[in-house]
Amino acid sequence: MIRNGADVRGRRLAESVPGVAMLRDYRRDDLRGDAVAGLVLTALLIPAGMGYAEVAGLPPVTGLYATVACLVAYAAFGPSRTLVLGPDSSLAPVIGAAIAPLALGDADRAVGLAGLLALLVGVVMIGGGLLDFGRLTDLVSRPIRVGYLNGITLVVVVGQLPKLLGFSVDGDGIGAQLRGLVDGIRADLVVGAAAAIGVTSLVAILVLRRVAPRIPWMLVVVVVGGLVVALAEPADVSVIGALPSGTPRPLLGGLELGDVLELLPAAVGIAIIAFADSSVLSRTLAMEDRVDVDKDQEIVAVGVANVACGVLGGFPVSASSSRTPVARESGSRTQVTGLVGALTVTLLLIVAPGLTADVPSAALAAVVIAAVARLADLPAVATLWSMSRTEGWLSIAASAGVVVFGVLEGIAIVVLLSLGTFVARAWRPHTAELVRVDDRKGYHDLARHRTGRRIPGLVLLRFDAPIFFANCSVFASLVLDAVADAPGPVQWVVISADPITDIDTTGAETLVLVDEALAELDIRLVFAGLKGPVKDRLVRYGMGDRFGRDRHFSTIGSAVSAHVRANDVDWVDWTDR
């Protein structure tokens, strides 16, 4: 019993802190890939963390603190084995806009406010996870996932191309990035040495990983690029530079309740952005790896990571759509990759802040482009298009939404489109008149089986959707038109009700109107296969007497037999011949 109790506690601990299970069951074979991926990732974590901190109006070192804190926290609580968290381009401007009016130019106060903002974001996300908001990711269908990744790939590649060629551009969004890229090339801003390093690194990764896939080429090109810069000292080549020194520490002193109230709206907005980014990317990776990720645990884990950032002098973070594919492409298998990255950044901050001084930005851009290119799946769009034009358009719209409007807005747009498609299908659902086909079991759509036989005196219909306010008129027209078009007198109308999963009050009212119209024609309306919960709903609507047990049959066959007996119909089924 003690052992069983310990096992139960162990399972509960593993469910709430997945990192425990990950380390407990860690395979030695995964260590090499995780370690190499962690080292490659470090080369990206440093410039990304420092750069996004500056965008948010904070000291660059706070970006590294946020990086270390979120990687460690997510490794402990995150359900995804390869998702990478960190400072994000979509969050940095929002963070800066939220804290600048309250900081009033005081750098220390700005850091404290950023930490408080991260704490609030974390609390909001943890609350969302506990309230089962993870179910919202069910709205992300396969076409949306494919389109999202294709859009992300294009956005990231365009953003990295200037760095690959040795210059930088101003402005957010792919439009500004493209204009900056073209203008930079026209203005002869391309740095020859940097472009040579970047393009050579990109070609080397793309070619050599096919020739010798077990060699960590991403790490190799970063190291070689650093050596080339250190030895040749080419002019005007942008490098990461030396790191600021220091260790993560809490800087939350001097904050007041008024600051909490001022920052709370921004925290909710940032939490929504982080939730959308992290959930969609996590679920997409899980589908690719054919594993199951607890959606609510994902939200909670990102929330905990933000709390850790707030406590340790950082700012809000989210999943990274550029660093995650780099980690995966470099051989990451588990969250040990994040731990290696966090440990390496910390050691560099303390022991060797100058080690990164000569790593060229162009080589890092090549690493990002090569990694994120693996996310794109254009053949999948073609396949979707051939299978369903609607879903093909959804995938294209998802890509366009991410590219044109940004990640969060793009996701919101395509989710609305997906919901709109669902509503449209329910609004105008497939309907059928069912007939009996000789030598085939069951009842079949007359439109597909023109030689099928109607049962005399019976109209048998199927309505493939819930009956609700938007489609109840379609249901009424289906029944009344079928009766009017019947080749002979009708005694019964049987609704094959298996697909009807719900009836709202408007739909129920329509049922009554249809029943009354049929009754005036001396026609009986009955249901075959109506589900228990839908029957219960009719009872709650006060219609239990009107649509009582005598109106319900378990199968179409039993309803047809009851009609034949009740109306003394001359009918011989093919099974009785």
Side-chain angles (χ1 to χ4, degrees), residues 24 53 193 352:
R24 183 187 61 197

Side-chain angles (χ1 to χ4, degrees), residues 530-542:
L530 190 65
K531 294 175 171 58
V534 184
K535 295 178 187 177
D536 296 340
R537 192 173 291 276
L538 291 176
V539 171
R540 287 198 298 274
Y541 293 158

